[in-house]
């Protein structure tokens, strides 16, 4: 009765077209169930499933629909970019390295090793007010690619959220966490010396062994409908690999596809899956060299802030006609001409155009560039909702050479034909990951015998997977949990204690001599505000008792009575709370006429935001209760429609119209909204100088790269990247920057290796050469070719 069916959250894996094309339109019961756990309970959730079951699509649709203030994070930069989120370390400002929940034992083998503790993290936590607000407003934290999330990192997240949200009694400070990923894929990375310390506290490095989850384990939901494979024999093999139940028949079946010396022709359209980057790079380089056509180079366009470590595609893409390539994004046109992982052949190249023919048909596609976005989360000053702010972009053709790829980078992709060379699989489960990329066994070739370690799944994962519940048990659980959530949510929304405490603390901050502080002029106004709020809070406390009494009756008439009283309470409390907001705005108009009151104005602005948020909560409580009783879905769109933003936007505009008073970034850069993202607009009067040009100017003034980096508060590699841009344009000489000896060595390496990929060049030259220097050398090589 209290569980609206979420019929919009069906799904297939967004990483492949088979799922998108063949998925049923009817509700996938488990994805619907998962969505209801997210939207109508406070339980943590672990959403997993075999490759190709729809986890990616579920995440994308959930963010479009959920009424909760949600943030997406991932363990790595590339995973974060692909999930349209941010990295865990940047969101929570966590240092890299092991996290120990408390000081290790004296004999714990931690000497001469770096580690973090709660005290050390809090001591160095230098979080901006904007970032703190995102963490305090957040209701739902989504962690994607959770197989790579370490238990100690999850405990560090828990610690920071409890600290910032001032809620030490609830796991993650009261934030609901949705974990998404497949634990049978990439495991967390722990160095042996780190595990020496961590083993004192954790049973394993996997996220589920974090202390934060021991008292609050996540609901385990596994998506089981596979859209990638249709062959029952193949699906059974994959299931046995996944569940550590490989038998003699499975081994014999795999043996049929073993061809040690298999060498496909360039036209066979096989992709080789291997375990190490250098092997994949070597195979791609060798295959490209075998093509006699000329090379074309395509440079990515990087704008504003976008870390090199999170580049989702090659910065310099080298192609030839005849090259085998792979799309690394789905077709954004909606025509489904290609998908992430689709193999194609380059049929024509121009300096500004790439044409390919996709595998399996005669369709030729003119490839368009794709723009990846680097975002950060902030809070909208008007609506109070968490929004995405665009920080930088990376634009490149969504292609990569595809004669070979590592198993690691193949996650989420689908292939018709694959040569699997993983006899040296170094992590449990890599055989499963590799095989699950294929649509059928017909396209499989094994060129190496599969070792036992590659087949074996981690025993900790196998043990944890036994927590999976049946759909029937989950249905029973969600019925009770959704009732608990709604009751708790109603009580939370009408509880004015936190608001009253904030205003109380604000009033008691007026302690300075009235002759020395402009703020003191308003102490009587603040005291009256607190007195009036305390009266409203007393009535709200009485209504909390009514909610608890009315909620005892779970019948239809009982719930209807609860809704009527809640609506009446909304009509009573919200005009009063909105009146407080109006009084604060009026006071700000008076305050801004004085001098040196920026800090006080900021306090008032923060206090008004709390009143506004309380009004929103009460509106949402009534709307959520009404939707639940009537069996309707409550979505983000419904939240946005609760309150008219026009009047508040006008008030905020007046607040910010104070030259020299407040220095808020949103006001100065006038954000423009595009969809759910806020894109920072350029200043109208003084366009921001090109950051690369500033580095070039300082170089021409005679400063060294080190001096430029220090002056601009940037790392040396970033400055080297700026200057490489002008080397490629032949505006400056690479020799003047890195010297003739290093330049000559880099150019020799490029010619010898016949590649402009930085990793193999650096492996050849050694660590004496930085990536920035190699980038400058590559730029000089490109300038010579021009």
């Amino acid at each position: 009765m209290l569980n609206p069916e979420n019929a919009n959250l069906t799904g297939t894996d967004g990483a492949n077209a088979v799922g998108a094309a063949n998925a049923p339109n009817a509700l996938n019961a488990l994805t619907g169930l998962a969505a209801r756990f997210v939207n109508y309970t406070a339980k943590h959730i672990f959403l997993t499933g075999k490759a190709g079951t729809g986890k990616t699509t579920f995440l994308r649709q959930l963010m479009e629909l959920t009424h909760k203030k949600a943030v997406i994070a991932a363990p790595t930069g590339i995973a974060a970019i692909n999930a349209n989120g941010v990295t865990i370390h940047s969101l929570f400002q966590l240092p890299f390295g092991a996290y120990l929940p408390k000081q290790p034992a004296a004999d714990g083998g931690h000497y001469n090793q770096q580690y973090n503790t709660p005290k050390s993290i809090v001591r160095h936590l230098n979080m901006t007010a904007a970032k703190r607000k995102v963490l305090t407003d957040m209701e739902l934290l989504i962690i994607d690619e959770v197989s790579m999330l370490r238990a100690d990192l999850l405990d560090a997240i828990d610690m920071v959220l409890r600290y910032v949200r001032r809620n030490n009694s609830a796991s993650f400070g009261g934030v609901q966490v949705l974990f998404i990923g497949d634990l049978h894929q990439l495991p967390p990375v722990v160095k042996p010396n780190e595990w020496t310390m961590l083993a004192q506290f954790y049973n394993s490095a996997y996220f589920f062994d974090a202390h934060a989850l021991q008292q609050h384990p996540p609901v385990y939901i596994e998506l089981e409908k596979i859209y990638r494979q249709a062959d029952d024999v193949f699906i059974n093999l994959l299931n046995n690999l996944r569940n550590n139940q490989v038998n003699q028949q499975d081994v014999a079946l795999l043996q049929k596809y073993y061809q040690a010396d298999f060498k496909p022709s360039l036209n066979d359209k096989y992709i080789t899956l291997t375990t190490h980057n250098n092997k994949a790079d070597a195979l791609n380089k060798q295959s490209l060299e075998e093509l006699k056509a000329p090379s074309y180079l395509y440079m990515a366009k990087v704008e504003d802030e976008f870390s090199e470590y999170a580049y989702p595609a090659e910065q310099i893409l080298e192609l030839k006609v005849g090259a085998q390539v792979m799309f690394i994004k789905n077709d954004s046109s909606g025509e489904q001409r290609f998908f992430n992982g689709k193999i194609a052949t380059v049929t024509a190249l121009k300096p500004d155009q790439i044409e390919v023919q996709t595998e399996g048909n005669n369709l030729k596609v003119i490839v368009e560039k794709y723009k990846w976005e680097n975002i950060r989360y902030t809070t909208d000053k008007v609506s109070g909702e968490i929004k995405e702010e665009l920080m930088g972009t990376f634009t490149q053709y969504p292609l990569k050479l595809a004669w070979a790829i590592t198993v690691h980078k193949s996650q989420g992709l689908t292939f018709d034909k694959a040569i699997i060379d993983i006899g040296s699989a170094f992590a449990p489960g890599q055989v499963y990951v590799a095989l699950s990329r294929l649509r059928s066994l017909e396209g499989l070739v094994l060129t190496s015998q599969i070792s036992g370690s590659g087949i074996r799944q981690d025993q900790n994962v196998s043990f944890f997977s036994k927590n999976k519940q049946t759909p029937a048990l989950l249905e029973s659980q969600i019925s009770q949990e959704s009732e608990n959530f709604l009751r708790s949510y109603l009580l939370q929304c009408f509880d004015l204690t936190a608001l009253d405490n904030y205003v109380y603390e604000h009033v008691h901050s007026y302690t300075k001599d009235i002759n020395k502080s402009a703020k003191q002029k308003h102490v009587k106004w603040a005291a009256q505000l607190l007195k009036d709020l305390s009266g409203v809070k007393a009535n709200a406390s009485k209504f909390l008792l009514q909610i608890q009494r009315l909620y005892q009756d779970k019948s239809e008439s009982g719930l209807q009575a609860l809704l009527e009283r809640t609506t009446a309470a909304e009509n009573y409390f919200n005009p009063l709370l909105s009146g407080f907001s109006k009084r604060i705005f009026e006071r700000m108009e008076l305050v801004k006429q004085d001098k040196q009151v920026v800090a006080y104005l900021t306090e008032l602005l923060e206090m008004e935001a709390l009143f506004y948020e309380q009004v929103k909560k009460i509106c949402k409580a009534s709307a959520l209760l009404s939707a639940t009783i009537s069996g309707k879905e409550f979505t983000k769109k419904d939240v946005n429609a609760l309150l008219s933003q026009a009047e508040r936007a006008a008030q905020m505009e007046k607040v910010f119209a104070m030259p020299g008073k407040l220095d808020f970034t949103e006001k100065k850069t006038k954000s423009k909204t595009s969809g759910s993202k806020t894109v920072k607009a350029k200043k109208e009067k003084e366009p921001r100088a090109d950051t690369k040009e500033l580095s070039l100017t300082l170089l021409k003034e005679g400063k060294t790269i080190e001096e430029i980096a220090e002056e601009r508060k940037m790392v040396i590699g970033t400055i080297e990247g700026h200057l490489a841009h002008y080397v490629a344009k032949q505006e400056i000489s690479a020799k003047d920057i890195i010297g003739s000896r290093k330049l000559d060595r880099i150019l020799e390496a490029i010619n010898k290796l016949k590649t402009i990929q930085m990793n193999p060049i650096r492996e050849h030259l050694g660590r004496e050469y930085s990536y920035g220097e190699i980038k400058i050398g590559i730029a000089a090589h490109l300038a010579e070719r021009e």
Side-chain angles (χ1 to χ4, degrees), residues 455-469:
I455 289 179
R456 188 186 66 251
Q457 297 291 350
D458 191 291
Q459 291 295 334
N460 291 291
V461 173
S462 299
F463 182 76
F464 177 65
S465 66
K466 294 177 181 177
N467 292 317
K468 182 179 71 171
Q469 294 173 293

Side-chain angles (χ1 to χ4, degrees), residues 541-607:
S541 297
K542 294 176 184 176
F543 182 61
L544 295 180
L545 297 175
Q546 286 190 44
I547 292 177
Q548 292 177 324
R549 178 174 55 79
L550 289 168
Y551 213 89
Q552 299 302 313
D553 185 355
K554 302 294 197 310
S555 68
E556 187 173 337
S557 60
L559 290 173
Q560 196 61 43
L562 176 62
L563 176 60
E564 289 172 3
R565 290 300 303 137
T566 301
T567 303
E570 176 189 350
N571 293 335
Y572 171 76
F573 287 111
N574 272 357
L576 295 174
L577 293 170
S578 296
F580 286 111
S581 280
K582 185 178 179 181
R583 287 162 66 175
I584 296 171
F585 276 127
E586 289 171 349
R587 185 57 44 166
M588 281 192 274
E589 286 298 307
L590 291 174
V591 170
K592 72 183 187 183
Q593 297 172 17
D594 298 330
K595 296 179 180 179
Q596 299 177 342
V597 289
V598 174
Y600 183 43
L601 282 169
T602 302
E603 285 182 45
L604 293 178
L605 198 60
E606 289 176 355
M607 186 164 63

